[in-house]
Amino acid sequence: MYSKIALGNVKKSVKDYTIYFLTLTLAVCIFYSFNSIESQKSVIEASSGKDDFNILTTVISFISVFVSLIVGGLILYASNFLIRKRKKEFGIYMTLGMSKRKISKILVLETFSVGALSLISGLILGVVLSQGLSIVTAKLFLVDMSKYKFIISTSAIGKTILYFGIIFMIIMIFNTAVMSKYKIIDLLTAGRKNENVKIKNPFIYVLTFILCVISLGFSYYLVLKVGLKIKDSLFHIAIVLGVLGTLLFFFSLAGFGLYITKKSKKVYFKGLNIFILKQINSKVNTNFLSMSVICLMLFLTMGMLSTGVGFKTTVESLIKAATPFDATAKAYSGKDGKVDSIEKTLKSIDFKFDKSEKYVEYSEYIINENINEVLKLDDKQKKELSKLRDWNPRVIKISEYNDLRKLQNKPSIKLKDDEVLITANSDDTVEVINKFLSNNKSVYIKGTNYKVKNHKLITDATRTTGELKDNILTLVVNDDFIKDLKLNAKYLNVNFTEENKEESEKKFLKLLEDFRDVYINDSKIDYMIVNTKKQEYVESRASTILVLFVVIYLGIVFLIASMAALAIQQLSEASNSIDRYKSLKRIGANDKMINKTIFVQTLIYFTLPVGLAFIHSIVCIKVINDYISMFAKPNIGVGSLIVVLAFILVYMGYFCATYTGYKNIVKNS
Amino acid sequence: MKNILNVEKIEKYYGNKENITKAIDNISFRVEKGEFVGIMGASGSGKTTLLNCISTIDTISTGKIIINGQDITQLKSKSLDKFRQNELGFIFQDFNLLDTLTAYENIALALTIQERNPKEIDGLIKSVAETLDISSVLNKYPYEMSGGQKQRVACCRAIVTNPSLILADEPTGALDSKSSRLLLESFEKFNKELEATILMVTHDVFTASYAHRILFIKDGKIFTELVRGNDSRKDFFNRIIEVITLLGGDDNDVF
């Protein structure tokens, strides 16, 4: 009998709360998909050959705990709404003599069946979706697609069932606890009790709204000024002010909006506007806390997704510029200030170059003048460079420079006795040097003016490194010039041929390992760093994939959770307002008018948190943009576009579902 | 006198062919402008169904209902809404006030639905509130008002649009005797002063005694009609009691 009631209720709930059910299914599906990546381990590791994939799966399993907390919170919230909606029903059961324990039993059964149902459908959907996700993963890791198989991850299924099982367990306990607290009279009169619409003095709202604008404005100002300095106390203040401003916004907005619209009789007295305003007012007033949380969550989502996607494209373009050669070995100057030829060092450890491997070695010297003296900076430029102005530029011989160009199949450059080339690619100096080049024709070194041959700054890197854009300022000079200069480092650039690429790669990776693991502490051999192009790509790919996955995983969950929370709030509002719509209908409002009020209400209710989150994230993206541009030209545009599109899709989906659901609830009453 | 409501041979069936319940069985009557008509009957007699049909909330099976020259049975749903907005005013037992709106806004809503000019709304509300003596509660919410105040606000909402017919369904059903008296006195007031036509359904004899004419309904038919004429309210009250006893007499025959 109890299970019959419970199942009947589930059927009813599934129909009433399609959104609740769909969100659960979606959450399960996403949870499974991301956790099932692990099952592709063998395939991906075989071709990737590194433990990057392990890091990815570890991070994902960590985040899954966090995700399950969010989803758990959402379900708790939703089920609380469901119970509140059915207080009267439980009251009737109790007057009929059913004990609280038995009602709890019904509730437990219900939670169990809804949970089981959404788990099953979510897992089925997840198995389908995870195939797509796995293909994307494989593509990102550059895995041969032919090795790819359709995989159902039993461990991920087990994990999903375990995590969601725990969530549903907690919900059951929570529901039982809530049930036992209720008194029968409260249950029976639940429907009749009016929501107390506390209307405070409108000036309180006006005041808090002004406060909110001030704190948000100040927060934006601070964060734009300070930038992304996580340790800076001003940055912390900006965040606190931002959160506070968001809270105040939702606290005051409804009252403030009401105050403003009341002033305009034309708006206030038009159609059902009075009703719409009051509906939103009461809703936002009672839910301002959850709306603030939703807004902040949406803000995190937008910020994370757009910068995450932007991060990937940015890093990719950076890596390309930073790896002009297939491999580079770098030797620092030894204790005595001398650096041995890398070629010689390699020979001494029995490293032999293959015929196919073309290499060029060059030396980098350091001059005694600093940038300030060389470029004769004015005060403004000095300020722009700040500490860097005391840095000593590096120097390369033209003959070696031309050898490097030859290796890259570029034409060589001829320098006259009094000419130099200026190269740089660091974001800290490029701008200043460009300005310098547009106004000046000469640099001052060793007490003499040298003509600058290039009119445009040369930004090409002269070696493959793990550091991006590390050329602060390097001059290319005539060979005689370096006579009495201090040697800073030696570099050996290698290019492989297509046929022997893999072998050479392995050879140089081994060399890298040798130097990394065993410090060759021979007095004649200096410490050496080896970087290969492929290894840089793999490394950066691993980190960008990690960032992408984390960001997309969290982003989707946040987005769905906040949209679902909004939708559930709206729908519960719908069932609470049925009487109001009946009254409206009785005093002559037609269906068109009523549908319009529902539309406007849902639209405003959905737009408020999204709108504020959007403004927040514009500021946030600007700050992050500024931060990234210290290392690279940020490329957030495309990323943002994709995010915005995905966002609109989910938003529209939930909006339409809510609007139709709301309309149906009102219509069926 | 102008004829406001003309009900001609209406019938209302529930159920299917094998099991027909006639909620209204061939009822005809007329209401002139400025009349205050009561409809009485035991529960299940069909009086609320009758009111619902007249108020266009429900539809009839056969017959005609003509309000202010318009046959409402022929109207499409769009023009029905328009008709409800302009020609009818409703007063319900459970007030049907919107709990999120103040008294002022509740009354305003009836006007804004009609798309009245925003400028005249304020004046209309204030003058009608004056008549029913609720000016002091205009800025209160329903939960801050007494039942009587709520019902008077509902009355204001019903008459502020100046409808041709006011339909009241057990208006005193949820009120105590003092509030009932106050409400009915205001009914009399705008019946006399504003020439409002009122059709009121009730089972309460005291409430009914305020009407000019009472239709008694039994088993979906008009059982009898009682006209107050020049009687005092007390005499009319006694006459109603007599009819009620007679009506109830049928039930007694069973035993």
Side-chain angles (χ1 to χ4, degrees):
Chain A
M1 187 349 223
Y2 297 122
S3 56
K4 206 175 159 191
I5 293 179
L7 282 177
N9 282 333
V10 170
K11 247 188 231 160
K12 228 165 54 190
S13 302
V14 169
K15 208 181 137 208
D16 276 2
Y17 282 79
T18 325
I19 285 187
Y20 172 65
F21 181 73
L22 280 183
T23 305
L24 267 183
T25 307
L26 224 55
V28 171
C29 158
I30 287 159
F31 191 92
Y32 168 82
S33 302
F34 275 90
N35 280 290
S36 73
I37 292 173
E38 207 170 354
S39 62
Q40 308 290 357
K41 196 172 174 175
S42 54
V43 183
I44 288 171
E45 267 188 354
S47 66
S48 189
K50 291 219 102 203
D51 50 8
D52 303 325
F53 193 69
N54 268 337
I55 300 171
L56 178 68
T57 50
T58 320
V59 170
I60 280 185
S61 63
F62 266 120
I63 288 186
S64 291
V65 176
F66 181 60
V67 163
S68 57
L69 279 180
I70 290 177
V71 173
L74 175 75
I75 300 175
L76 204 65
Y77 186 69
S79 76
N80 198 12
F81 264 123
L82 281 169
I83 289 192
R84 241 190 283 166
K85 195 198 158 202
R86 294 167 44 199
K87 267 185 181 172
K88 199 164 187 181
E89 179 190 328
F90 295 136
I92 292 168
Y93 290 156
M94 273 162 95
T95 49
L96 292 177
M98 203 184 271
S99 68
K100 273 184 184 170
R101 263 195 52 202
K102 282 188 176 143
I103 295 179
S104 297
K105 211 166 124 193
I106 292 178
L107 268 178
V108 166
L109 262 170
E110 274 182 52
T111 318
F112 179 78
S113 28
V114 169
L117 216 63
S118 52
L119 252 178
I120 293 167
S121 53
L123 281 175
I124 293 170
L125 206 65
V127 166
V128 177
L129 188 82
S130 67
Q131 303 312 317
L133 190 71
S134 300
I135 289 170
V136 172
T137 320
K139 265 204 169 149
L140 286 172
F141 276 102
L142 307 179
V143 174
D144 184 7
M145 295 304 288
S146 59
K147 289 178 197 163
Y148 219 71
K149 273 182 284 180
F150 180 89
I151 290 179
I152 294 175
S153 163
T154 42
S155 70
I157 290 179
K159 197 172 168 188
T160 314
I161 292 176
L162 177 72
Y163 276 50
F164 279 83
I166 291 172
I167 291 174
F168 289 125
M169 247 345 206
I170 292 168
I171 305 288
M172 286 179 202
I173 295 166
F174 173 81
N175 285 352
T176 317
V178 164
M179 232 14 254
S180 61
K181 235 176 46 196
Y182 284 142
K183 287 191 195 111
I184 191 163
I185 181 75
D186 294 335
L187 289 174
L188 278 174
T189 54
R192 248 189 290 153
K193 248 186 210 165
N194 287 331
E195 229 173 286
N196 268 10
V197 195
K198 280 182 211 133
I199 298 294
K200 291 178 192 121
N201 193 337
F203 286 105
I204 293 175
Y205 292 115
V206 176
L207 201 74
T208 38
F209 189 77
I210 292 168
L211 264 177
C212 137
V213 171
I214 291 172
S215 65
L216 279 184
F218 198 58
S219 161
Y220 290 160
Y221 168 76
L222 272 184
V223 84
L224 283 174
K225 198 180 144 214
V226 175
L228 196 67
K229 285 179 191 140
I230 299 166
K231 281 178 187 157
D232 198 319
S233 62
L234 281 179
F235 186 75
H236 297 164
I237 292 172
I239 287 180
V240 171
L241 276 178
V243 173
L244 187 76
T246 309
L247 271 172
L248 287 177
F249 179 78
F250 287 105
F251 175 76
S252 63
L253 185 77
F256 180 71
L258 199 66
Y259 176 76
I260 294 293
T261 30
K262 259 188 183 169
K263 299 234 148 188
S264 158
K265 289 263 182 287
K266 260 197 190 142
V267 182
Y268 191 53
F269 282 142
K270 190 162 180 283
L272 293 175
N273 279 0
I274 299 177
F275 177 73
I276 298 175
L277 274 171
K278 283 299 177 80
Q279 282 284 96
I280 293 168
N281 189 46
S282 77
K283 199 73 205 151
V284 175
N285 261 348
T286 44
N287 289 331
F288 82 95
L289 214 62
S290 61
M291 282 188 89
S292 309
V293 173
I294 288 169
C295 170
L296 291 175
M297 236 160 57
L298 285 172
F299 156 60
L300 274 180
T301 312
M302 287 192 221
M304 275 192 325
L305 283 176
S306 48
T307 46
V309 177
F311 178 73
K312 183 181 177 291
T313 41
T314 307
V315 168
E316 268 169 9
S317 66
L318 276 178
I319 295 286
K320 198 181 172 207
T323 55
F325 302 99
D326 285 332
T328 295
K330 175 186 182 181
Y332 293 104
S333 69
K335 284 160 205 139
D336 51 354
K338 277 184 181 172
V339 185
D340 275 329
S341 147
I342 295 177
E343 201 181 345
K344 221 168 101 191
T345 310
L346 291 177
K347 239 175 214 166
S348 72
I349 58 166
D350 287 334
F351 180 89
K352 286 191 183 74
F353 285 103
D354 197 85
K355 265 183 201 161
S356 66
E357 292 155 4
K358 298 233 161 65
Y359 63 92
V360 168
E361 184 169 355
Y362 76 93
S363 311
E364 187 186 79
Y365 301 88
I366 190 162
I367 54 172
N368 299 318
E369 293 89 350
N370 59 31
I371 296 186
N372 184 24
E373 289 157 346
V374 171
L375 300 181
K376 285 169 282 182
L377 297 171
D378 58 30
D379 287 344
K380 199 184 146 213
Q381 289 167 321
K382 267 187 213 165
K383 211 178 157 194
E384 256 175 82
L385 283 183
S386 67
K387 276 178 195 163
L388 264 182
R389 63 175 183 248
D390 298 325
W391 190 84
N392 301 80
R394 312 293 194 235
V395 168
I396 305 175
K397 281 196 272 187
I398 181 72
S399 59
E400 287 176 343
Y401 187 70
N402 277 332
D403 288 343
L404 289 178
R405 289 179 68 87
K406 204 174 150 196
L407 192 61
Q408 291 173 283
N409 295 323
K410 287 177 184 168
S412 52
I413 299 171
K414 271 183 187 150
L415 280 186
K416 283 182 195 149
D417 284 348
D418 58 343
E419 279 180 337
V420 294
L421 293 174
I422 290 189
T423 73
N425 60 19
S426 162
D427 289 296
D428 293 329
T429 51
V430 160
E431 215 171 297
V432 172
I433 297 171
N434 265 328
K435 242 181 239 162
F436 166 82
L437 282 177
S438 61
N439 298 325
N440 298 280
K441 292 278 173 290
S442 65
V443 289
Y444 187 80
I445 328 167
K446 281 187 183 174
T448 329
N449 278 324
Y450 284 84
K451 260 193 229 158
V452 181
K453 184 170 179 160
N454 53 324
H455 302 297
K456 260 181 85 184
L457 184 63
I458 299 168
T459 53
D460 301 337
T462 50
R463 55 182 176 263
T464 291
T465 61
E467 290 148 63
L468 309 167
K469 298 198 171 185
D470 60 345
N471 182 2
I472 294 171
L473 175 61
T474 305
L475 301 170
V476 181
V477 296
N478 276 304
D479 290 12
D480 318 336
F481 184 89
I482 50 98
K483 254 182 231 158
D484 46 349
L485 288 184
K486 197 180 138 210
L487 186 63
N488 183 49
K490 276 182 186 270
Y491 298 91
L492 184 111
N493 290 326
V494 191
N495 263 354
F496 311 146
T497 47
E498 274 310 314
E499 306 91 66
N500 294 324
K501 206 160 202 162
E502 271 183 37
E503 260 171 60
S504 305
E505 181 71 32
K506 264 184 208 157
K507 212 163 99 186
F508 277 87
L509 273 181
K510 192 180 166 294
L511 190 63
L512 164 73
E513 302 276 310
D514 287 349
F515 272 94
R516 186 160 62 186
D517 298 341
V518 195
Y519 195 96
I520 306 178
N521 205 4
D522 195 310
S523 60
K524 280 185 182 168
I525 300 167
D526 299 303
Y527 181 55
M528 211 158 76
I529 292 174
V530 182
N531 288 306
T532 75
K533 191 187 220 166
K534 192 180 172 194
Q535 172 225 349
E536 287 312 319
Y537 267 95
V538 168
E539 247 167 46
S540 80
R541 201 167 59 225
S543 61
T544 50
I545 289 173
L546 187 68
V547 170
L548 259 186
F549 265 70
V550 169
V551 151
I552 291 174
Y553 187 16
L554 275 182
I556 293 176
V557 169
F558 274 15
L559 184 63
I560 289 173
S562 27
M563 283 302 166
L566 282 178
I568 290 167
Q569 282 180 356
Q570 260 316 91
L571 289 178
S572 81
E573 168 75 9
S575 23
N576 287 340
S577 306
I578 284 176
D579 286 339
R580 295 178 197 148
Y581 287 101
K582 274 187 193 157
S583 304
L584 279 182
K585 201 132 189 104
R586 281 182 171 167
I587 60 173
N590 57 33
D591 283 343
K592 214 176 125 198
M593 279 170 138
I594 284 173
N595 285 346
K596 202 183 140 201
T597 63
I598 294 171
F599 183 80
V600 174
Q601 269 181 70
T602 316
L603 186 70
I604 291 180
Y605 201 71
F606 267 65
T607 314
L608 280 181
V610 176
L612 188 63
F614 189 67
I615 297 172
H616 280 351
S617 43
I618 287 177
V619 176
C620 156
I621 289 170
K622 167 94 178 73
V623 169
I624 293 178
N625 235 348
D626 289 349
Y627 181 74
I628 294 180
S629 65
M630 288 199 276
F631 312 103
K633 274 269 151 327
N635 193 352
I636 285 181
V638 183
S640 303
L641 204 71
I642 295 170
V643 171
V644 167
L645 279 179
F647 211 94
I648 289 174
L649 215 69
V650 176
Y651 176 90
M652 290 287 277
Y654 270 97
F655 176 79
C656 291
T658 311
Y659 175 54
T660 358
Y662 201 135
K663 261 200 316 199
N664 284 340
I665 290 177
V666 171
K667 210 179 232 169
N668 294 338
S669 64
Chain B
M1 273 245 186
K2 199 182 162 203
N3 184 298
I4 288 287
L5 173 68
N6 194 356
V7 176
E8 278 175 27
K9 292 180 189 161
I10 60 163
E11 290 184 11
K12 170 80 184 170
Y13 314 129
Y14 287 116
N16 51 23
K17 263 184 190 167
E18 290 114 54
N19 186 14
I20 290 180
T21 316
K22 282 192 177 175
I24 299 173
D25 189 4
N26 197 10
I27 287 183
S28 301
F29 66 94
R30 290 162 157 260
V31 178
E32 308 294 329
K33 184 165 173 59
E35 262 198 302
F36 185 174
V37 178
I39 296 175
M40 289 194 81
S43 71
S45 60
K47 57 185 193 304
T48 302
T49 311
L50 176 64
L51 195 75
N52 281 343
C53 290
I54 294 171
S55 65
T56 71
I57 290 172
D58 209 343
T59 53
I60 52 172
S61 307
T62 62
K64 267 186 191 173
I65 298 174
I66 296 161
I67 300 176
N68 211 8
Q70 265 183 299
D71 185 357
I72 59 164
T73 56
Q74 302 298 317
L75 289 177
K76 296 250 164 60
S77 93
K78 218 177 180 179
S79 27
L80 262 181
D81 288 322
K82 203 95 209 139
F83 179 81
R84 245 201 315 263
Q85 286 167 21
N86 297 329
E87 304 291 337
L88 299 179
F90 293 95
I91 298 165
F92 305 92
Q93 178 174 2
D94 52 357
F95 321 129
N96 267 306
L97 292 177
L98 291 152
D99 54 355
T100 45
L101 305 186
T102 61
Y104 182 90
E105 289 161 340
N106 263 297
I107 301 168
L109 207 58
L111 293 167
T112 61
I113 287 174
Q114 284 190 327
E115 286 163 9
R116 286 286 188 94
N117 186 350
K119 280 176 201 150
E120 57 178 351
I121 287 178
D122 190 61
L124 279 170
I125 296 170
K126 292 216 165 118
S127 75
V128 79
E130 194 81 19
T131 337
L132 282 186
D133 198 22
I134 51 156
S135 303
S136 56
V137 295
L138 273 184
N139 284 320
K140 285 191 174 167
Y141 285 88
Y143 68 91
E144 297 171 308
M145 294 185 248
S146 71
Q149 283 170 331
K150 278 188 224 177
Q151 194 59 298
R152 273 180 286 150
V153 171
C155 279
C156 279
R157 187 178 60 185
I159 61 165
V160 76
T161 56
N162 197 17
S164 5
L165 182 64
I166 294 172
L167 299 165
D169 187 5
E170 301 274 13
T172 58
L175 302 182
D176 59 81
S177 57
K178 188 172 169 258
S179 304
S180 301
R181 193 186 293 269
L182 262 168
L183 181 78
L184 290 162
E185 275 164 10
S186 23
F187 272 24
E188 273 191 324
K189 199 169 168 188
F190 47 75
N191 175 245
K192 268 191 199 129
E193 290 174 10
L194 308 172
E195 284 205 332
T197 316
I198 302 171
L199 185 67
M200 174 174 75
V201 165
T202 184
H203 69 272
D204 179 52
V205 183
F206 172 75
T207 306
S209 68
Y210 277 84
H212 301 160
R213 180 158 68 106
I214 295 172
L215 299 169
F216 291 88
I217 297 195
K218 191 181 182 218
D219 299 333
K221 289 179 189 150
I222 294 185
F223 177 76
T224 182
E225 193 186 56
L226 213 57
V227 181
R228 182 165 158 189
N230 292 323
D231 284 1
S232 72
R233 206 165 56 70
K234 201 177 170 210
D235 292 338
F236 193 45
F237 182 86
N238 290 331
R239 277 168 62 201
I240 298 171
I241 295 275
E242 278 167 29
V243 178
I244 296 275
T245 327
L246 199 64
L247 261 171
D250 277 352
D251 288 336
N252 290 342
D253 289 347
V254 181
F255 302 103

